[in-house]
Amino acid sequence: MNNNEIRKSIIHMVHYSKSSHVGTCLSIVDILTVLYFKTMNIDPLHPTLPDRDKLILSKAHGSAALYATLAERGFFPKGYLDRYYIDGGILPGHLDKEAVPGVEASVGSLGHGLAIGLGMAIANRQSKNPGRIYVILGDGECNEGSVWEAVMLAATLRLNNLIAIVDYNKLQSFGRTNEVINQENMAERWRAFGWEAQEVDGHDMEQLETAFSLPQAGPKVIIAHTIKGKGISYMEDKLEWHYKSPNDEQYQAALLEIGERS
Amino acid sequence: MRNTFIATLIEEAKKDERIFLLTPDMGFSVLEAFRDLFPDRFLNVGIAEQNAVGVAAGLALSGKIVYVYSIIPFVTMRCYEQVRVDVAYMNTNVRLVGVGAGLSYGPAGATHHSIEDIAIMRALPNMTVCCPGDPIEVREIIKQSVHYDGPMYIRLGKNGEPRIHSDNTPIEIGKAIEVIRGDDLALITTSNMLEQGKIWVDELAKEGRHASLISMPSIKPLDKEFILQLIARKKPIYTLEEHNVIGGLGSAVAEVIAESGIGITFKRIGIPDTYTHHVGSHMHLRNKLITPEL
């Protein structure tokens, strides 16, 4: 299964580089897997085709998940993943579009990606380009006011080539999302701003694929209920895995757990 | 300068379909002609500058050349991090066009003045910073901006700045323009202070002191070669800008002088590191804050 391979890559990357954010990576693996292996019109051998679909990982502290997915999909050799977040590396902790093919935007400061994706969607409509734009946001990221500036404009323009995915894992860097800034009724909030909104289990590949494939009249958001750290039992729904990197023992335990499923 | 900007951009947009114009709800009585001629390449994104710059970057990543027009503090400072990441870091073809250089918005108050913009914009890698001094400089810089690679900040005046140059004066991004040649001292101006510099140089001439008047429409890249030639003349150099004396033209020229290793009399004339609480017209405030220490 591609998603298991991607999870293995992520665990490997954060382990050897002793880097943070493994939880945020694991919560979007299934979303990325469906997008890159089922939904998106992309060609890893020709990563800059003008009418390709584009994805922006706005919650770019989950970069390891995107790098692992792109490598799994063949955008670049998997060996590159050994050079993440280290001296002389090629893959920075937040996304640099010049690092490797397939990264559509340099992001890392929260609240930027949806506006950039919106600009791409406007450009595609104006140029009659069929490419669709996908933007993955964190639920914590939705604290940023700039997200809602983009939400309002996208709805006004009724862009039906723009799809946002909120990785609703209910944890942000210093607490439970709905305790830090209440975002209950997330889908209702987006609908109130004029978006089509659909809630799915963000780890159910069939539900995700169906949600992405349904036609849309305007901008659409998929509220993906996810579990931070999904797939590694000792990391699931634990705030500390926003920061910690697995030690050798934890690394082996994680690989064993993923291996049992693959 | 505003009218020259939009007239020139319209001419360029007729020739180049990549040109887009965005505004966070500014430009009443300025941008309408562009909007009406190119409705699918004009967008009022609403009062949301962060979004304006992010959207501009997305358009630019899709092959468009995007001009974002607003009052200077809003198109530079309100959205500075979007400018940093989405525009400068990604090296996108976005042109931030700010109106209201220095104290142009006079009685509107300090929220609408721009005295830090040159400093913060020139600190950004990849960013070209252009501060045209008259409508001819605006016209030439806007024309060149269409084919210029990478992001740009273009600082416009507001209040009907007069023509200083003749129609065929050579103007090039990255080049100084010696408007008047004099052998006693050199006065380097930028942006909307070219007019003021001309007045002072003319007054000095009546006193028998002959100053060179230099317009510096491009702060970054800076015409270092020209400044080194000025230094070689061994005459005092003054800089003049409607901007904080920290970080703008004066600082940029000072850096060249300091690194030249040649001692020379030098003085920055500009706004003395203060927000004004005075109320008054552009010229009233300019005369209060900027004194001719030549």
Side-chain angles (χ1 to χ4, degrees), chain A residues 209-261:
Chain A
E209 194 181 346
T210 305
F212 292 137
S213 66
L214 290 173
Q216 57 187 98
K220 179 167 76 175
V221 62
I222 310 294
I223 309 292
H225 290 272
T226 55
I227 295 166
K228 199 155 182 163
K230 172 71 179 180
I232 311 299
S233 51
Y234 63 83
M235 293 183 185
E236 286 189 357
D237 199 35
K238 294 278 198 305
L239 181 65
E240 67 204 64
W241 289 101
H242 194 77
Y243 303 98
K244 282 172 65 173
S245 173
N247 61 28
D248 291 347
E249 196 180 324
Q250 290 164 326
Y251 172 61
Q252 293 302 336
L255 284 187
L256 196 66
E257 199 172 328
I258 298 166
E260 281 168 2
R261 280 197 308 275

Tab-separated table of all heavy atoms in Angstrom, chain A residues 209-261:
chain	number	residue	atom	x	y	z
A	209	GLU	N	-11.728	9.704	-1.931
A	209	GLU	CA	-11.747	9.696	-3.394
A	209	GLU	C	-13.099	10.157	-3.920
A	209	GLU	O	-13.174	10.946	-4.868
A	209	GLU	CB	-11.425	8.276	-3.905
A	209	GLU	CG	-11.091	8.263	-5.380
A	209	GLU	CD	-10.806	6.856	-5.903
A	209	GLU	OE1	-10.602	5.940	-5.088
A	209	GLU	OE2	-10.803	6.695	-7.139
A	210	THR	N	-14.156	9.695	-3.285
A	210	THR	CA	-15.497	10.117	-3.707
A	210	THR	C	-15.667	11.625	-3.518
A	210	THR	O	-16.178	12.322	-4.400
A	210	THR	CB	-16.575	9.371	-2.877
A	210	THR	OG1	-16.331	7.971	-3.006
A	210	THR	CG2	-17.967	9.698	-3.361
A	211	ALA	N	-15.242	12.105	-2.373
A	211	ALA	CA	-15.413	13.533	-2.085
A	211	ALA	C	-14.676	14.392	-3.117
A	211	ALA	O	-15.193	15.416	-3.565
A	211	ALA	CB	-14.904	13.848	-0.679
A	212	PHE	N	-13.479	13.955	-3.493
A	212	PHE	CA	-12.714	14.749	-4.468
A	212	PHE	C	-13.344	14.704	-5.853
A	212	PHE	O	-13.184	15.627	-6.642
A	212	PHE	CB	-11.269	14.231	-4.566
A	212	PHE	CG	-10.449	14.470	-3.330
A	212	PHE	CD1	-9.616	13.480	-2.825
A	212	PHE	CD2	-10.506	15.696	-2.666
A	212	PHE	CE1	-8.854	13.697	-1.685
A	212	PHE	CE2	-9.753	15.911	-1.520
A	212	PHE	CZ	-8.923	14.914	-1.019
A	213	SER	N	-14.043	13.626	-6.156
A	213	SER	CA	-14.524	13.452	-7.523
A	213	SER	C	-15.902	14.084	-7.761
A	213	SER	O	-16.307	14.249	-8.905
A	213	SER	CB	-14.584	11.960	-7.867
A	213	SER	OG	-15.574	11.341	-7.071
A	214	LEU	N	-16.605	14.449	-6.717
A	214	LEU	CA	-17.948	15.018	-6.914
A	214	LEU	C	-17.843	16.381	-7.592
A	214	LEU	O	-16.962	17.173	-7.284
A	214	LEU	CB	-18.656	15.174	-5.566
A	214	LEU	CG	-19.081	13.863	-4.887
A	214	LEU	CD1	-19.624	14.153	-3.491
A	214	LEU	CD2	-20.108	13.113	-5.728
A	215	PRO	N	-18.751	16.649	-8.529
A	215	PRO	CA	-18.707	17.946	-9.208
A	215	PRO	C	-19.013	19.092	-8.230
A	215	PRO	O	-19.668	18.888	-7.217
A	215	PRO	CB	-19.801	17.844	-10.277
A	215	PRO	CG	-20.679	16.740	-9.828
A	215	PRO	CD	-19.858	15.803	-9.005
A	216	GLN	N	-18.520	20.257	-8.558
A	216	GLN	CA	-18.712	21.401	-7.671
A	216	GLN	C	-19.044	22.620	-8.514
A	216	GLN	O	-18.493	22.815	-9.590
A	216	GLN	CB	-17.450	21.629	-6.826
A	216	GLN	CG	-16.186	21.845	-7.660
A	216	GLN	CD	-14.916	21.892	-6.818
A	216	GLN	OE1	-14.191	20.879	-6.701
A	216	GLN	NE2	-14.629	23.052	-6.248
A	217	ALA	N	-19.930	23.473	-7.991
A	217	ALA	CA	-20.327	24.685	-8.710
A	217	ALA	C	-19.436	25.861	-8.348
A	217	ALA	O	-19.291	26.811	-9.106
A	217	ALA	CB	-21.785	25.014	-8.402
A	218	GLY	N	-18.864	25.786	-7.158
A	218	GLY	CA	-17.977	26.851	-6.694
A	218	GLY	C	-16.850	26.228	-5.903
A	218	GLY	O	-16.627	25.017	-5.993
A	219	PRO	N	-16.152	27.007	-5.110
A	219	PRO	CA	-15.064	26.433	-4.321
A	219	PRO	C	-15.601	25.422	-3.303
A	219	PRO	O	-16.693	25.592	-2.766
A	219	PRO	CB	-14.432	27.648	-3.629
A	219	PRO	CG	-15.502	28.685	-3.600
A	219	PRO	CD	-16.330	28.462	-4.838
A	220	LYS	N	-14.802	24.396	-3.072
A	220	LYS	CA	-15.265	23.304	-2.200
A	220	LYS	C	-14.223	23.024	-1.137
A	220	LYS	O	-13.030	23.046	-1.412
A	220	LYS	CB	-15.498	22.054	-3.043
A	220	LYS	CG	-15.961	20.842	-2.245
A	220	LYS	CD	-16.482	19.749	-3.155
A	220	LYS	CE	-15.380	18.987	-3.857
A	220	LYS	NZ	-15.902	17.854	-4.634
A	221	VAL	N	-14.684	22.774	0.067
A	221	VAL	CA	-13.771	22.371	1.125
A	221	VAL	C	-14.136	20.971	1.601
A	221	VAL	O	-15.318	20.638	1.735
A	221	VAL	CB	-13.776	23.372	2.312
A	221	VAL	CG1	-15.150	23.448	2.977
A	221	VAL	CG2	-12.705	23.019	3.341
A	222	ILE	N	-13.130	20.166	1.768
A	222	ILE	CA	-13.310	18.854	2.378
A	222	ILE	C	-12.796	18.980	3.812
A	222	ILE	O	-11.605	19.236	4.018
A	222	ILE	CB	-12.480	17.769	1.642
A	222	ILE	CG1	-12.701	17.820	0.128
A	222	ILE	CG2	-12.754	16.391	2.238
A	222	ILE	CD1	-14.078	17.470	-0.332
A	223	ILE	N	-13.688	18.832	4.754
A	223	ILE	CA	-13.263	18.824	6.153
A	223	ILE	C	-12.909	17.372	6.477
A	223	ILE	O	-13.798	16.525	6.615
A	223	ILE	CB	-14.378	19.320	7.103
A	223	ILE	CG1	-14.959	20.661	6.639
A	223	ILE	CG2	-13.882	19.365	8.553
A	223	ILE	CD1	-14.035	21.843	6.732
A	224	ALA	N	-11.644	17.113	6.568
A	224	ALA	CA	-11.182	15.732	6.755
A	224	ALA	C	-10.898	15.502	8.234
A	224	ALA	O	-9.945	16.060	8.787
A	224	ALA	CB	-9.937	15.488	5.917
A	225	HIS	N	-11.761	14.721	8.860
A	225	HIS	CA	-11.533	14.383	10.277
A	225	HIS	C	-10.374	13.389	10.337
A	225	HIS	O	-10.443	12.302	9.765
A	225	HIS	CB	-12.798	13.786	10.894
A	225	HIS	CG	-13.885	14.802	11.045
A	225	HIS	ND1	-14.022	15.599	12.156
A	225	HIS	CD2	-14.874	15.185	10.191
A	225	HIS	CE1	-15.053	16.419	12.006
A	225	HIS	NE2	-15.589	16.186	10.819
A	226	THR	N	-9.317	13.812	10.977
A	226	THR	CA	-8.107	12.986	10.994
A	226	THR	C	-7.614	12.810	12.419
A	226	THR	O	-8.109	13.445	13.358
A	226	THR	CB	-6.987	13.642	10.167
A	226	THR	OG1	-6.778	14.956	10.669
A	226	THR	CG2	-7.328	13.708	8.697
A	227	ILE	N	-6.621	11.964	12.537
A	227	ILE	CA	-5.976	11.730	13.834
A	227	ILE	C	-4.521	12.093	13.684
A	227	ILE	O	-3.814	11.548	12.803
A	227	ILE	CB	-6.129	10.260	14.256
A	227	ILE	CG1	-7.611	9.947	14.489
A	227	ILE	CG2	-5.295	9.970	15.512
A	227	ILE	CD1	-7.911	8.465	14.568
A	228	LYS	N	-4.091	13.033	14.500
A	228	LYS	CA	-2.683	13.411	14.459
A	228	LYS	C	-1.849	12.194	14.862
A	228	LYS	O	-2.166	11.511	15.824
A	228	LYS	CB	-2.442	14.577	15.414
A	228	LYS	CG	-1.170	15.328	15.146
A	228	LYS	CD	-1.263	16.760	15.648
A	228	LYS	CE	-0.003	17.515	15.320
A	228	LYS	NZ	-0.178	18.966	15.408
A	229	GLY	N	-0.821	11.895	14.087
A	229	GLY	CA	0.014	10.730	14.376
A	229	GLY	C	-0.578	9.427	13.879
A	229	GLY	O	-0.112	8.337	14.257
A	230	LYS	N	-1.593	9.505	13.012
A	230	LYS	CA	-2.332	8.319	12.570
A	230	LYS	C	-1.410	7.191	12.065
A	230	LYS	O	-0.532	7.425	11.231
A	230	LYS	CB	-3.292	8.725	11.434
A	230	LYS	CG	-3.990	7.577	10.743
A	230	LYS	CD	-5.033	6.917	11.628
A	230	LYS	CE	-5.732	5.777	10.889
A	230	LYS	NZ	-6.743	5.123	11.730
A	231	GLY	N	-1.652	6.027	12.607
A	231	GLY	CA	-0.942	4.838	12.132
A	231	GLY	C	0.136	4.343	13.074
A	231	GLY	O	0.566	3.206	12.975
A	232	ILE	N	0.585	5.209	13.961
A	232	ILE	CA	1.574	4.796	14.967
A	232	ILE	C	0.875	4.968	16.316
A	232	ILE	O	0.688	6.105	16.781
A	232	ILE	CB	2.853	5.667	14.912
A	232	ILE	CG1	3.372	5.795	13.472
A	232	ILE	CG2	3.920	5.096	15.849
A	232	ILE	CD1	3.758	4.496	12.812
A	233	SER	N	0.508	3.867	16.929
A	233	SER	CA	-0.440	3.947	18.046
A	233	SER	C	0.037	4.853	19.173
A	233	SER	O	-0.745	5.623	19.730
A	233	SER	CB	-0.747	2.538	18.573
A	233	SER	OG	0.463	1.858	18.825
A	234	TYR	N	1.352	4.799	19.461
A	234	TYR	CA	1.802	5.611	20.600
A	234	TYR	C	1.878	7.110	20.260
A	234	TYR	O	2.077	7.932	21.144
A	234	TYR	CB	3.144	5.105	21.141
A	234	TYR	CG	4.327	5.186	20.192
A	234	TYR	CD1	5.036	6.377	20.048
A	234	TYR	CD2	4.723	4.073	19.452
A	234	TYR	CE1	6.118	6.450	19.176
A	234	TYR	CE2	5.789	4.145	18.589
A	234	TYR	CZ	6.493	5.331	18.450
A	234	TYR	OH	7.549	5.405	17.591
A	235	MET	N	1.743	7.455	18.981
A	235	MET	CA	1.771	8.875	18.607
A	235	MET	C	0.371	9.458	18.447
A	235	MET	O	0.208	10.679	18.455
A	235	MET	CB	2.498	9.065	17.260
A	235	MET	CG	3.974	8.757	17.280
A	235	MET	SD	4.677	9.106	15.646
A	235	MET	CE	6.357	8.535	15.902
A	236	GLU	N	-0.628	8.596	18.279
A	236	GLU	CA	-1.946	9.084	17.872
A	236	GLU	C	-2.566	10.028	18.901
A	236	GLU	O	-2.612	9.719	20.094
A	236	GLU	CB	-2.883	7.895	17.602
A	236	GLU	CG	-2.528	7.202	16.291
A	236	GLU	CD	-3.555	6.146	15.853
A	236	GLU	OE1	-4.524	5.919	16.600
A	236	GLU	OE2	-3.358	5.575	14.765
A	237	ASP	N	-2.983	11.174	18.407
A	237	ASP	CA	-3.698	12.181	19.197
A	237	ASP	C	-2.890	12.664	20.400
A	237	ASP	O	-3.447	12.982	21.443
A	237	ASP	CB	-5.065	11.619	19.645
A	237	ASP	CG	-6.024	12.725	20.054
A	237	ASP	OD1	-5.993	13.809	19.447
A	237	ASP	OD2	-6.801	12.496	21.012
A	238	LYS	N	-1.580	12.709	20.244
A	238	LYS	CA	-0.703	13.154	21.333
A	238	LYS	C	0.018	14.438	20.907
A	238	LYS	O	0.787	14.432	19.940
A	238	LYS	CB	0.353	12.079	21.646
A	238	LYS	CG	-0.213	10.786	22.214
A	238	LYS	CD	-0.471	10.927	23.713
A	238	LYS	CE	-0.598	9.577	24.391
A	238	LYS	NZ	-1.617	8.694	23.792
A	239	LEU	N	-0.224	15.501	21.649
A	239	LEU	CA	0.371	16.796	21.332
A	239	LEU	C	1.899	16.716	21.243
A	239	LEU	O	2.519	17.376	20.411
A	239	LEU	CB	-0.041	17.828	22.394
A	239	LEU	CG	0.475	19.253	22.193
A	239	LEU	CD1	-0.113	19.875	20.930
A	239	LEU	CD2	0.156	20.117	23.398
A	240	GLU	N	2.482	15.894	22.127
A	240	GLU	CA	3.957	15.877	22.193
A	240	GLU	C	4.595	15.476	20.869
A	240	GLU	O	5.731	15.849	20.590
A	240	GLU	CB	4.416	14.927	23.305
A	240	GLU	CG	4.094	13.455	23.012
A	240	GLU	CD	4.001	12.597	24.280
A	240	GLU	OE1	3.086	12.865	25.085
A	240	GLU	OE2	4.824	11.688	24.425
A	241	TRP	N	3.855	14.748	20.012
A	241	TRP	CA	4.430	14.321	18.726
A	241	TRP	C	4.355	15.404	17.663
A	241	TRP	O	4.694	15.177	16.513
A	241	TRP	CB	3.823	12.992	18.269
A	241	TRP	CG	4.328	11.900	19.158
A	241	TRP	CD1	3.662	11.324	20.202
A	241	TRP	CD2	5.644	11.339	19.158
A	241	TRP	NE1	4.473	10.424	20.848
A	241	TRP	CE2	5.700	10.405	20.218
A	241	TRP	CE3	6.782	11.512	18.373
A	241	TRP	CZ2	6.853	9.658	20.511
A	241	TRP	CZ3	7.930	10.782	18.656
A	241	TRP	CH2	7.958	9.866	19.708
A	242	HIS	N	3.953	16.617	18.109
A	242	HIS	CA	4.166	17.781	17.256
A	242	HIS	C	5.648	18.165	17.307
A	242	HIS	O	6.146	18.873	16.444
A	242	HIS	CB	3.295	18.942	17.747
A	242	HIS	CG	3.182	20.088	16.767
A	242	HIS	ND1	2.376	20.049	15.653
A	242	HIS	CD2	3.797	21.312	16.725
A	242	HIS	CE1	2.478	21.184	14.982
A	242	HIS	NE2	3.340	21.968	15.604
A	243	TYR	N	6.313	17.718	18.388
A	243	TYR	CA	7.680	18.170	18.653
A	243	TYR	C	8.711	17.048	18.650
A	243	TYR	O	9.828	17.215	18.174
A	243	TYR	CB	7.724	18.895	20.015
A	243	TYR	CG	6.748	20.053	20.054
A	243	TYR	CD1	5.489	19.926	20.631
A	243	TYR	CD2	7.074	21.264	19.452
A	243	TYR	CE1	4.584	20.974	20.620
A	243	TYR	CE2	6.181	22.319	19.431
A	243	TYR	CZ	4.925	22.169	20.022
A	243	TYR	OH	4.037	23.200	19.992
A	244	LYS	N	8.333	15.908	19.238
A	244	LYS	CA	9.335	14.880	19.475
A	244	LYS	C	9.714	14.136	18.202
A	244	LYS	O	8.927	14.021	17.267
A	244	LYS	CB	8.788	13.859	20.489
A	244	LYS	CG	8.833	14.349	21.922
A	244	LYS	CD	8.099	13.396	22.863
A	244	LYS	CE	8.790	12.030	22.942
A	244	LYS	NZ	8.152	11.196	24.000
A	245	SER	N	10.903	13.618	18.238
A	245	SER	CA	11.359	12.746	17.163
A	245	SER	C	11.549	11.363	17.770
A	245	SER	O	12.060	11.241	18.889
A	245	SER	CB	12.682	13.287	16.621
A	245	SER	OG	13.220	12.395	15.692
A	246	PRO	N	11.148	10.294	17.083
A	246	PRO	CA	11.259	8.966	17.696
A	246	PRO	C	12.719	8.565	17.937
A	246	PRO	O	13.572	8.778	17.063
A	246	PRO	CB	10.597	8.036	16.671
A	246	PRO	CG	10.548	8.799	15.394
A	246	PRO	CD	10.544	10.249	15.746
A	247	ASN	N	12.979	8.002	19.123
A	247	ASN	CA	14.319	7.461	19.366
A	247	ASN	C	14.439	6.103	18.669
A	247	ASN	O	13.490	5.639	18.020
A	247	ASN	CB	14.609	7.369	20.879
A	247	ASN	CG	13.621	6.445	21.588
A	247	ASN	OD1	13.085	5.512	20.988
A	247	ASN	ND2	13.379	6.696	22.865
A	248	ASP	N	15.578	5.462	18.806
A	248	ASP	CA	15.809	4.230	18.041
A	248	ASP	C	14.758	3.162	18.346
A	248	ASP	O	14.248	2.484	17.448
A	248	ASP	CB	17.211	3.674	18.343
A	248	ASP	CG	18.297	4.572	17.766
A	248	ASP	OD1	17.962	5.464	16.946
A	248	ASP	OD2	19.477	4.391	18.141
A	249	GLU	N	14.447	3.039	19.616
A	249	GLU	CA	13.478	2.017	20.036
A	249	GLU	C	12.079	2.331	19.476
A	249	GLU	O	11.383	1.454	18.942
A	249	GLU	CB	13.446	2.026	21.571
A	249	GLU	CG	12.812	0.809	22.192
A	249	GLU	CD	12.844	0.938	23.724
A	249	GLU	OE1	13.837	1.489	24.249
A	249	GLU	OE2	11.860	0.525	24.343
A	250	GLN	N	11.718	3.608	19.604
A	250	GLN	CA	10.399	4.027	19.093
A	250	GLN	C	10.341	3.890	17.570
A	250	GLN	O	9.299	3.557	16.993
A	250	GLN	CB	10.122	5.482	19.505
A	250	GLN	CG	9.880	5.636	21.003
A	250	GLN	CD	9.997	7.075	21.454
A	250	GLN	OE1	10.793	7.841	20.916
A	250	GLN	NE2	9.211	7.441	22.455
A	251	TYR	N	11.465	4.149	16.938
A	251	TYR	CA	11.538	4.032	15.477
A	251	TYR	C	11.254	2.588	15.057
A	251	TYR	O	10.436	2.325	14.169
A	251	TYR	CB	12.931	4.482	15.027
A	251	TYR	CG	13.242	4.246	13.571
A	251	TYR	CD1	12.484	4.856	12.560
A	251	TYR	CD2	14.313	3.438	13.189
A	251	TYR	CE1	12.788	4.658	11.230
A	251	TYR	CE2	14.624	3.236	11.856
A	251	TYR	CZ	13.857	3.850	10.878
A	251	TYR	OH	14.159	3.638	9.563
A	252	GLN	N	11.899	1.641	15.739
A	252	GLN	CA	11.682	0.225	15.405
A	252	GLN	C	10.237	-0.193	15.665
A	252	GLN	O	9.639	-0.919	14.870
A	252	GLN	CB	12.647	-0.669	16.211
A	252	GLN	CG	14.119	-0.501	15.838
A	252	GLN	CD	14.400	-0.783	14.361
A	252	GLN	OE1	13.657	-1.515	13.691
A	252	GLN	NE2	15.459	-0.170	13.831
A	253	ALA	N	9.696	0.297	16.759
A	253	ALA	CA	8.306	-0.046	17.088
A	253	ALA	C	7.352	0.479	16.023
A	253	ALA	O	6.395	-0.197	15.628
A	253	ALA	CB	7.944	0.532	18.461
A	254	ALA	N	7.646	1.694	15.550
A	254	ALA	CA	6.786	2.296	14.523
A	254	ALA	C	6.851	1.506	13.227
A	254	ALA	O	5.828	1.187	12.610
A	254	ALA	CB	7.206	3.745	14.282
A	255	LEU	N	8.076	1.134	12.828
A	255	LEU	CA	8.220	0.376	11.583
A	255	LEU	C	7.516	-0.969	11.677
A	255	LEU	O	6.882	-1.432	10.729
A	255	LEU	CB	9.713	0.160	11.264
A	255	LEU	CG	10.482	1.359	10.718
A	255	LEU	CD1	11.887	0.924	10.307
A	255	LEU	CD2	9.765	2.001	9.540
A	256	LEU	N	7.631	-1.568	12.856
A	256	LEU	CA	6.980	-2.865	13.064
A	256	LEU	C	5.466	-2.728	12.897
A	256	LEU	O	4.816	-3.527	12.229
A	256	LEU	CB	7.326	-3.366	14.466
A	256	LEU	CG	7.074	-4.832	14.754
A	256	LEU	CD1	8.008	-5.707	13.905
A	256	LEU	CD2	7.324	-5.132	16.247
A	257	GLU	N	4.941	-1.667	13.463
A	257	GLU	CA	3.494	-1.450	13.417
A	257	GLU	C	3.019	-1.230	11.978
A	257	GLU	O	2.003	-1.752	11.552
A	257	GLU	CB	3.135	-0.227	14.291
A	257	GLU	CG	1.680	-0.191	14.673
A	257	GLU	CD	1.380	0.900	15.690
A	257	GLU	OE1	2.251	1.231	16.532
A	257	GLU	OE2	0.268	1.432	15.617
A	258	ILE	N	3.788	-0.434	11.230
A	258	ILE	CA	3.413	-0.187	9.833
A	258	ILE	C	3.595	-1.470	9.015
A	258	ILE	O	2.748	-1.834	8.195
A	258	ILE	CB	4.269	0.941	9.218
A	258	ILE	CG1	4.044	2.250	9.964
A	258	ILE	CG2	3.921	1.126	7.740
A	258	ILE	CD1	5.068	3.322	9.669
A	259	GLY	N	4.684	-2.173	9.308
A	259	GLY	CA	4.991	-3.390	8.560
A	259	GLY	C	3.918	-4.439	8.700
A	259	GLY	O	3.606	-5.165	7.748
A	260	GLU	N	3.316	-4.498	9.860
A	260	GLU	CA	2.272	-5.498	10.093
A	260	GLU	C	1.047	-5.257	9.204
A	260	GLU	O	0.274	-6.158	8.932
A	260	GLU	CB	1.860	-5.475	11.573
A	260	GLU	CG	2.856	-6.218	12.449
A	260	GLU	CD	2.630	-5.971	13.936
A	260	GLU	OE1	1.670	-5.261	14.274
A	260	GLU	OE2	3.435	-6.470	14.735
A	261	ARG	N	0.885	-4.015	8.790
A	261	ARG	CA	-0.268	-3.692	7.945
A	261	ARG	C	0.032	-3.851	6.460
A	261	ARG	O	-0.864	-3.943	5.658
A	261	ARG	CB	-0.686	-2.224	8.184
A	261	ARG	CG	-1.524	-2.016	9.425
A	261	ARG	CD	-2.226	-0.689	9.370
A	261	ARG	NE	-1.283	0.388	9.086
A	261	ARG	CZ	-0.555	1.008	10.012
A	261	ARG	NH1	-0.679	0.666	11.261
A	261	ARG	NH2	0.275	1.971	9.668
